[in-house]
Amino acid sequence: MASKSRSAFVRQYWNLAEGQQLAFTEPILGHLQVPPEHKGPKSEAFRVMIGVLKNKLRSNVPSMSSAFQIRIEEAVALEVANLNDKCEKNHGDWQKVRLMPALLRIFTRVNLLAFIGEDQADRIEVYHDVMRFFWSCAKAFPILNLMPGFLLPLIGPVAMGWGITRLRVYNILLWITCQALEGEDSGDEKPVSDTFCLEVAIELRITHQQAPGHIAQWTAEMTRLQDAAAVAKITLGLLFASAFQVPMVAQFCVYSFCKHPEYHERLRAEAMECKDTSFGALNQEMPYLDSFVKETARLSPGPIRKLAVLPHELSAPRTVMVPYTSPDGCLIPAGNWIAIPQLSLMRDESVWPRALTFEGFRFVDEKHGTSESRLTHPSYEFPFWGSIRHAW
């Protein structure tokens, strides 16, 4: 696909956003996903997602950064603690760690602090329930990727272990949502028995202390919905969406750091300069590290596996809900999948100078020592987190 065609495709792709739903989520989230009619850029779920992630979370990052740092240190220590005699004998001070599982556990512990607050994030049973749900998702992905669409309703529940781990996590979020909505009626949908809230409260040993703000609370506060079950589904979707992308990027960054020692000195110097810095809401700190991570992500994009029927690594797969004809006459029937050819776009020489060369500080203005663009800034050329939604 020519570069101009790729760029036009990405723009056309996001023009379809209102008529699409995320592929893969139905067999993963099952009946607990946000209904298709409530998705899209004009939906309540999308409005809440933007408000929570771009406004509430971003504005609270400065006050939460110290807690995040402590949580990261504790989580890393748990992964490398208790060297056994064999490890010490064979590797000295080094210990073998399975990187992706370890990073998933580390970032899950940190994410839970933002999603459900410190009181609940500290409960070991809550952490284990969430990890079991994520492992269920990870095991289901390769199975579901190979299934034809008509088999997904049959195979999906089996691949997800009948949704047991998913329901436990949803129940936790539902209880927190009920508290945030001040115990109002959670609607007609009852995922468990009528004594659900009492049982979960006992299991979690809830205290009545006032907890700091968190995503589950903000979601309940910002939505116009008064149905706790519907609100909890939005939070569950956000939690699922946060699970794998960042650990994958972190894993690739470790590999890049090992392969490119020429960047060590500058990155370490920046880390020492910022070791006592509280990160601000504008997200402008540590431009060299941010660029290094973004360049790593550019050349190692996304956790979405190569599908058997498609030749390229993809991002943002969507199921087309209504037929659409592009300006150049291409018809996309309802029911088809459509996605961004992310790997080829990120390595396109006409879009990225020296596209196949790793340039760790590609996104830094060296003259001023500031970021030209950030990892968290999506664009048509860098759709790692999705893309911008502008009419054209």
Side-chain angles (χ1 to χ4, degrees), residues 40-102:
K42 295 182 180 180
S43 68
E44 175 68 2
F46 185 80
R47 186 189 70 82
V48 171
M49 179 187 71
I50 295 298
V52 168
L53 299 183
K54 289 193 174 182
N55 297 325
K56 281 285 193 178
L57 181 59
R58 182 177 295 175
S59 63
N60 279 275
V61 163
S63 62
M64 300 172 73
S65 63
S66 296
F68 286 148
Q69 182 175 350
I70 295 172
R71 183 72 51 155
I72 291 171
E73 292 174 353
E74 293 173 347
V76 171
L78 287 171
E79 295 298 328
V80 297
N82 300 322
L83 293 175
N84 56 51
D85 293 339
K86 181 179 179 181
C87 183
E88 291 180 348
K89 180 179 179 180
N90 294 340
H91 305 286
D93 293 332
W94 292 88
Q95 179 177 359
K96 288 185 177 181
V97 175
R98 294 181 61 195
L99 192 54
M100 182 56 191

Side-chain angles (χ1 to χ4, degrees), residues 27-211:
I28 296 296
L29 298 181
H31 70 287
L32 297 179
Q33 72 167 340
V34 176
E37 61 270 19
H38 294 160
K39 296 182 180 180
K42 295 182 180 180
S43 68
E44 175 68 2
F46 185 80
R47 186 189 70 82
V48 171
M49 179 187 71
I50 295 298
V52 168
L53 299 183
K54 289 193 174 182
N55 297 325
K56 281 285 193 178
L57 181 59
R58 182 177 295 175
S59 63
N60 279 275
V61 163
S63 62
M64 300 172 73
S65 63
S66 296
F68 286 148
Q69 182 175 350
I70 295 172
R71 183 72 51 155
I72 291 171
E73 292 174 353
E74 293 173 347
V76 171
L78 287 171
E79 295 298 328
V80 297
N82 300 322
L83 293 175
N84 56 51
D85 293 339
K86 181 179 179 181
C87 183
E88 291 180 348
K89 180 179 179 180
N90 294 340
H91 305 286
D93 293 332
W94 292 88
Q95 179 177 359
K96 288 185 177 181
V97 175
R98 294 181 61 195
L99 192 54
M100 182 56 191
L103 289 171
L104 180 60
R105 290 190 291 267
I106 290 170
F107 281 102
T108 297
R109 292 180 187 276
V110 177
N111 279 347
L112 286 179
L113 189 63
F115 266 92
I116 58 177
E118 186 174 3
D119 285 348
Q120 297 305 319
D122 284 341
R123 312 198 81 81
I124 190 64
E125 62 269 30
V126 172
Y127 164 76
H128 285 312
D129 283 341
V130 173
M131 282 304 304
R132 291 186 188 104
F133 170 53
F134 287 167
W135 289 130
S136 297
C137 296
K139 293 174 183 177
F141 283 146
I143 299 173
L144 299 176
N145 280 347
L146 300 176
M147 291 293 107
F150 72 91
L151 286 179
L152 287 179
L154 300 175
I155 303 299
V158 179
M160 283 298 296
W162 305 108
I164 295 173
T165 60
R166 176 181 63 209
L167 183 60
R168 288 188 65 85
V169 174
Y170 172 74
N171 285 345
I172 295 168
L173 298 176
L174 180 58
W175 193 93
I176 296 172
T177 302
C178 289
Q179 299 304 299
L181 293 174
E182 298 179 344
E184 294 183 23
D185 183 15
S186 61
D188 295 333
E189 182 176 357
K190 302 291 183 183
V192 289
S193 68
D194 292 336
T195 60
F196 154 70
C197 286
L198 177 60
E199 293 173 354
V200 173
I202 294 173
E203 179 184 354
L204 298 179
R205 301 191 301 275
I206 300 299
T207 68
H208 294 288
Q209 298 176 353
Q210 181 65 34

